[in-house]
Amino acid sequence: MMSSRRVATELNSLLDKAIVVRLINNKIYYGNLSSYELSPFILTLTNAKDNDNNTYYKVILNGNSITEILVKSSPIFDPKEFADLVTKELNLRAGDVKVYEEAGVLVILDRIKVSENGVEGSGPMAQRIYDLYNDYINKKKKGS
């Protein structure tokens, strides 16, 4: 995978997440990553705050002035871990569950998609997966 695709994958996983951006002038912005562009490199933060405690609805940052992008919290949903749980609990074959770690998604039986946003699909199997997902997320939240 080309490094620019890896960066895009990493940034995609951070969309709508809280990040910290440090600039070359030592100014720091805290906010939710709402969008980005790789060429030229630009980040957009919403509900942002700077290190002087000023708040902003939206901040657009030139990538040339960014020295660091920091993420304080790790994601709750781990697609590989959840795939193992689903395979075990529902007695599915490993081939029935496809994990796309870079996208943070797993697809079950080619018709049910699970990500940190929840379960997409319908029917009795989707309902069972939805119940497992809710238990999994609740346990992960209690553990953190």
Side-chain angles (χ1 to χ4, degrees):
M1 184 185 285
M2 295 180 350
S3 65
S4 62
R5 283 188 50 202
R6 285 188 181 182
V7 170
T9 299
E10 289 292 331
L11 288 171
N12 278 338
S13 73
L14 297 176
L15 285 170
D16 301 319
K17 304 285 187 298
I19 63 170
V20 178
V21 181
R22 186 182 311 268
L23 305 180
I24 56 177
N25 64 2
N26 287 326
K27 190 160 193 135
I28 300 172
Y29 287 96
Y30 308 85
N32 294 327
L33 179 63
S34 64
S35 65
Y36 70 91
E37 183 67 45
L38 288 179
S39 184
F41 188 48
I42 299 169
L43 291 182
T44 304
L45 301 178
T46 55
N47 301 319
K49 185 183 279 192
D50 65 16
N51 50 334
D52 295 327
N53 233 9
N54 298 311
T55 58
Y56 306 94
Y57 169 70
K58 189 172 285 191
V59 176
I60 300 172
L61 300 167
N62 180 334
N64 293 332
S65 65
I66 296 172
T67 61
E68 294 179 315
I69 300 171
L70 307 167
V71 183
K72 286 188 169 186
S73 61
S74 63
I76 292 176
F77 180 72
D78 179 342
K80 181 123 178 64
E81 181 181 59
F82 189 70
D84 293 341
L85 174 71
V86 166
T87 304
K88 179 181 158 201
E89 292 291 322
L90 301 179
N91 288 326
L92 297 174
R93 295 175 304 143
D96 292 338
V97 180
K98 296 179 181 97
V99 179
Y100 303 96
E101 283 190 78
E102 62 280 349
V105 170
L106 64 127
V107 178
I108 303 162
L109 300 170
D110 293 326
R111 58 187 178 92
I112 301 166
K113 179 180 166 185
V114 184
S115 70
E116 70 177 39
N117 297 325
V119 178
E120 296 176 28
S122 60
M125 179 62 81
Q127 184 60 50
R128 290 178 68 195
I129 293 166
Y130 177 76
D131 293 340
L132 279 174
Y133 176 83
N134 283 336
D135 289 343
Y136 170 82
I137 294 296
N138 287 334
K139 286 177 184 172
K140 294 286 274 189
K141 284 181 179 177
K142 286 179 185 173
S144 14

